[in-house]
């Protein structure tokens, strides 16, 4: 058996604008998905998943059965999770030249599903790494990132950026501009995350920004302004200037809000973080619901978020400089 893990991510800057060729800076966070893979004697796939959200649920799934999974989150989220695993298995089989390999797979994830923290990318990246290693093949992180991207493209009907999968495979802070993905230097980033318990509809939110951008020149300028902001953010990251990073996060949230992708609960969490003294705060990912990310080296933002109506979970998640890695078997039950 091989156990691999891969981190989730937040967008420090640049979501939505990245769709139009502007740069974005996602950062890996110390919340991981762990995937254990054991080769079987036959060509079947059996998946056992636990704790796929912060609240935890269990799903036992096997492609041998048509039973609906017994879970307390929407079945579509679970089905989507299983599609990522199937796509990861196909990539592992192809990379190892073993199209008929069967696996027993166990997944544990600390990353809430569908909330803008890259849960599907982390499961896909860790699954490809563990699957290929179990078949005796070791791929470099860049190839895992590329295969995970292709797996996401397949599941998401051709709509995926390389940001999540590259960031999860390599760890750290990353700069993504079109197909150009690279690691960038970053100081320790004291992230605090607030989660409203919900999820946004990425497709609808992206379409909304596209329509605004086509209708109004000033909306197109706003998207281009996010690109300029990201370039300033890269300089602040290189200089390790947390105060400026926070200021730019606040600005980035304002521009995303103007583009219509925030929500009442996301705004409430952003303001709670700012009032608590965070260096900056913004929504992360597609928006509409899900998570905000704040920068605060103290405990104050996490505490304030805990008491914010509409915030279901608040937790610290430092920048994770490790990408995909092999874990001890004991780490997955
Ligand atoms: O919510 P997430 O983590 O899937 O991020 C979506 C980011 C967008 O820029 C809105 C879309 C994209 O594919 O880049």
């Amino acid at each position: 058996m091989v156990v691999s893990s891969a981190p989730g991510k937040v967008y420090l800057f640049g979501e939505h604008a990245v769709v139009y060729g502007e740069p974005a800076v996602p950062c890996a966070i110390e919340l991981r998905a762990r995937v254990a893979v054991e080769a079987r004697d036959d060509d079947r796939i059996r998946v056992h998943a636990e704790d796929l959200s912060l609240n935890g649920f269990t799903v036992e799934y096997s492609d041998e059965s048509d039973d609906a999974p017994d879970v307390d989150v929407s079945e579509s989220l679970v089905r989507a999770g299983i599609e990522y695993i199937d796509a990861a298995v196909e990539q592992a089989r192809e990379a190892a030249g073993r199209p008929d390999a069967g696996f027993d797979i166990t997944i544990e994830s600390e990353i809430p599903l569908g909330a803008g923290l890259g849960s599907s990318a982390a499961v896909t990246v860790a699954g490809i790494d563990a699957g290929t290693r179990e078949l005796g093949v070791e791929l470099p992180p860049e190839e895992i990132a590329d295969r995970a991207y292709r797996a996401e493209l397949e599941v998401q009907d051709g709509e995926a950026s390389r940001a999540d999968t590259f960031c999860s495979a390599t760890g750290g802070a990353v700069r993504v501009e079109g197909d150009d993905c690279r690691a960038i230097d970053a100081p320790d980033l004291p992230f605090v995350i607030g989660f409203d318990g919900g999820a946004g509809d990425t497709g609808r939110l992206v379409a909304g920004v596209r329509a605004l951008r086509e209708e109004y020149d000033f909306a197109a300028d706003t998207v281009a302004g996010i690109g300029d902001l990201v370039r300033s953010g890269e300089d602040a990251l290189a200089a390790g200037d947390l105060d400026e990073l926070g200021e730019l996060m606040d600005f980035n949230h304002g521009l995303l809000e103007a583009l219509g992708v925030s929500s009442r609960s996301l705004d409430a969490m952003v303001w709670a973080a700012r009032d608590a003294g965070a260096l900056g705060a913004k929504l992360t990912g597609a928006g509409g619901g899900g998570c905000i990310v704040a920068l605060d080296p103290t405990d104050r933002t996490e505490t304030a978020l805990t008491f914010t109506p509409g915030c279901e979970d608040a937790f610290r998640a430092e920048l994770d400089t490790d990408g995909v890695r092999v874990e001890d078997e004991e780490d997955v039950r």
Side-chain angles (χ1 to χ4, degrees), residues 102-115:
F103 300 109
D104 283 331
I105 300 172
T106 304
I107 307 164
E108 280 185 15
S109 178
E110 306 158 349
I111 311 165
L113 282 180

Side-chain angles (χ1 to χ4, degrees), residues 9 11 14-19 24 114-120 156 159-164 200 202 205-206 284-287:
K9 65 103 205 0
Y11 272 95
E15 55 273 87
H16 283 287
V18 72
V19 173
L117 297 184
S119 59
S120 53
Q156 295 167 199
E159 289 279 350
S161 82
R162 290 183 177 271
D164 287 27
T202 304
L205 292 153
V206 170
T284 172

Side-chain angles (χ1 to χ4, degrees), residues 68-155:
D70 175 22
V71 294
D72 64 0
V73 296
S74 86
E75 195 183 310
S76 62
L77 275 181
V78 175
R79 288 280 169 213
I82 289 164
E83 283 180 42
Y84 287 103
I85 286 297
D86 284 346
V89 164
E90 280 314 310
Q91 288 295 332
R93 284 171 165 166
E94 185 189 291
R98 296 273 303 278
D100 295 329
F103 300 109
D104 283 331
I105 300 172
T106 304
I107 307 164
E108 280 185 15
S109 178
E110 306 158 349
I111 311 165
L113 282 180
L117 297 184
S119 59
S120 53
V123 167
T124 307
V125 164
I128 294 173
D129 189 59
T132 45
R133 284 176 190 273
E134 177 70 1
L135 297 178
V137 174
E138 200 173 314
L139 302 178
E142 291 72 21
E143 184 173 347
I144 291 176
D146 187 57
R147 287 189 174 277
Y149 166 66
R150 284 191 263 151
E152 284 212 337
L153 268 187
E154 195 184 305
V155 178

Side-chain angles (χ1 to χ4, degrees), residues 228-307:
D228 290 341
L229 183 153
V230 176
R231 285 179 275 272
S232 297
E234 286 175 60
D235 294 340
L237 262 183
D241 187 340
L242 294 191
D243 290 329
E244 190 181 350
L245 286 174
E247 203 173 334
L248 292 169
M249 288 169 75
D250 283 340
F251 210 117
N252 198 162
H253 183 77
L255 297 180
L256 289 167
E257 215 279 321
L259 291 171
V261 298
S262 192
S263 72
R264 195 177 284 269
S265 57
L266 294 174
D267 285 345
M269 292 191 288
V270 161
W271 277 105
R274 290 173 181 166
D275 287 346
L279 300 172
K282 63 182 280 294
L283 68 85
T284 172
C291 290
I292 66 135
V293 56
L295 217 50
D296 188 353
T298 77
D299 291 337
R300 288 196 296 268
T301 295
E302 189 181 342
T303 306
L305 285 171
T306 309
F307 292 106

